[in-house]
Amino acid sequence: MQDADKGQAIALDGTDLRIGIVQARFNAPITDKLAQTCLAELRALGVADKHIRHVTVPGALEVPIALQALATNDDCDALVALGCIVRGETYHFELVANESGAGVTRVSLDHEVPIANAILTVEDEAQAWARAEEKGRDAARVAVEMANLLDDLS
């Protein structure tokens, strides 16, 4: 939910973290905004550019396989999934939204790596634009927080 109560903010430190980002190119102007704000927030939290791996894929359905490759082959402390699925006139929206979400979750659990899921699922482009900046920033914050939490728990 936009502008939801996210609880008490905590101090986040991304120094020395390695973050992988997978961005869907479908609805590129929106996903580019997600990526721009996510990258800016990662840098603000201390994540070095050299520790950020940013790749693009055609669409939301391809995001999980790229996340899986990063989880398997890279030394990422956390991953970020960026995309935008806009409801159309067919069942395709539900298929893409459900399957991409399930795939992201499966990769996270199978590889025990936190994934901040910022694949927007919206009714129209206006909703996507209204959420893009906040969700990109939130994704960075979630990735850093969860990477640090899992490190503390291990």
Side-chain angles (χ1 to χ4, degrees):
M1 177 174 16
Q2 190 175 6
D3 299 320
D5 180 356
K6 298 173 188 157
Q8 180 81 18
I10 64 169
L12 299 174
D13 182 7
T15 306
D16 297 325
L17 291 181
R18 296 180 176 276
I19 308 293
I21 300 171
V22 177
Q23 174 189 348
R25 292 188 308 269
F26 203 87
N27 293 311
I30 296 163
T31 66
D32 286 346
K33 184 64 171 179
L34 284 164
Q36 174 190 15
T37 57
C38 180
L39 287 163
E41 187 69 11
L42 286 172
R43 291 177 187 119
L45 295 172
V47 180
D49 283 337
K50 68 182 180 179
H51 291 157
I52 299 171
R53 177 93 188 264
H54 181 194
V55 300
T56 64
V57 296
L61 285 176
E62 292 76 36
V63 169
I65 191 72
L67 290 169
Q68 182 172 312
L70 287 173
T72 302
N73 300 322
D74 271 4
D75 188 23
C76 292
D77 298 297
L79 300 170
V80 177
L82 303 176
C84 179
I85 308 165
V86 179
R87 184 180 298 279
E89 297 175 3
T90 68
Y91 180 73
H92 188 68
F93 170 86
E94 284 83 2
L95 173 77
V96 175
N98 292 338
E99 292 301 317
S100 64
V104 168
T105 300
R106 189 172 72 236
V107 171
S108 180
L109 295 173
D110 287 353
H111 293 275
E112 296 181 7
V113 62
I115 302 176
N117 187 348
I119 299 176
L120 303 177
T121 52
V122 296
E123 295 294 325
D124 53 44
E125 196 172 312
Q127 283 184 353
W129 281 113
R131 289 162 175 74
E133 187 170 337
E134 180 181 359
K135 293 304 177 188
R137 188 171 37 256
D138 286 350
R141 296 184 67 76
V142 166
V144 169
E145 180 175 349
M146 292 304 296
N148 287 326
L149 175 64
L150 288 187
D151 185 52
D152 289 347
L153 292 174
S154 63

